[in-house]
């Protein structure tokens, strides 16, 4: 191999290296979306002490009407815990969660209803979540029955705010279904 051929080979290798650097450099400069944690559903996620709240939202027809909290609460500790959700106008719901277990706030559990949702459908309502000495104010989305899957969660005129929600253990809810419950 003569000097000219070595020079061409070196230039070709340099061009390939530069091309590879420019292609792979995009991943280095731009953040990878798969590394970003987000809520892939209508609700939001929050962690508070040993409790992990997932897909939390409020279903209501108006800011001054009752709103039902739905979602899932996971307890990662080896002790039973209680989640208190405080909303607008002093409304409050208390949710017990057994140790190393989860509670699903759905049609199979007693309703966690806030007397006032605190936000119009399509907005975010400020609520305070508390367990033990941990407390934080967060924003829960407020939805109505525009999406048919949420219609069954709208509080009815006969529904009154619930002081507590029965917890479930294991991987699925084991609470007694309400008469109007349908599959979700």
């Amino acid at each position: 191999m003569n000097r000219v051929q070595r020079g061409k080979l070196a230039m070709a290798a340099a061009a390939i290296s530069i091309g590879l650097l420019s292609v792979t450099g995009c991943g280095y400069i731009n953040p990878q979306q798969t590394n970003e944690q987000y809520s892939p559903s209508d609700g939001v996620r929050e962690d508070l002490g040993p409790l992990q709240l997932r897909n939390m939202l409020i279903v209501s027809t108006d800011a001054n009407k009752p709103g039902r909290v739905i979602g899932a609460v996971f307890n990662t500790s080896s002790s039973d815990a209680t989640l208190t959700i405080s909303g607008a106008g002093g409304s409050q719901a208390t949710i017990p969660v057994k140790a190393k277990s989860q509670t699903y706030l759905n049609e199979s559990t007693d309703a966690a209803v806030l007397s006032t949702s605190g936000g119009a459908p399509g907005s975010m309502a400020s609520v305070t979540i508390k367990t033990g000495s941990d407390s934080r104010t967060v924003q829960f989305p407020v939805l109505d029955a525009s999406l048919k899957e949420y219609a069954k969660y709208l509080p009815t005129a006969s529904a009154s705010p619930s002081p507590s929600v029965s917890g479930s253990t294991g991987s699925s809810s084991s609470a007694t279904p309400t008469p109007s419950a349908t599959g979700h």
Side-chain angles (χ1 to χ4, degrees), residues 6-136:
R6 281 190 300 235
K8 287 182 180 180
L9 183 61
M11 287 176 58
I16 290 172
S17 297
I18 290 171
L20 286 174
L21 284 174
S22 67
V23 170
T24 60
C26 292
Y28 177 74
I29 296 170
N30 297 321
Q32 296 176 346
Q33 188 60 39
T34 55
N35 290 336
E36 302 291 324
Q37 291 204 4
Y38 66 98
S39 296
S41 187
D42 296 328
V44 296
R45 60 182 284 144
E46 286 293 330
D47 293 334
L48 182 68
L51 299 182
Q52 297 174 340
L53 288 66
R54 299 294 183 261
N55 201 29
M56 302 298 288
L57 57 95
I58 300 170
V59 182
S60 180
T61 57
D62 186 72
N64 298 316
K65 300 281 184 183
R68 180 168 179 179
V69 179
I70 62 172
V73 183
F74 298 90
N75 183 352
T76 61
S77 76
S78 55
S79 301
D80 291 352
T82 300
L83 172 67
T84 303
I85 301 173
S86 302
S91 60
Q92 184 170 302
T94 304
I95 303 151
V97 187
K98 296 196 180 294
K100 299 284 185 188
S101 181
Q102 62 275 337
T103 296
Y104 295 99
L105 305 174
N106 58 26
E107 69 273 359
S108 298
T109 62
D110 293 336
V113 178
L114 299 172
S115 60
T116 305
S117 69
S123 69
M124 301 292 277
S126 275
V127 296
T128 301
I129 54 175
K130 181 179 183 198
T131 184
S133 62
D134 294 325
S135 177
R136 178 177 320 130

Side-chain angles (χ1 to χ4, degrees), residues 67 91 139 143:
S91 60
Q139 301 287 312
L143 300 176

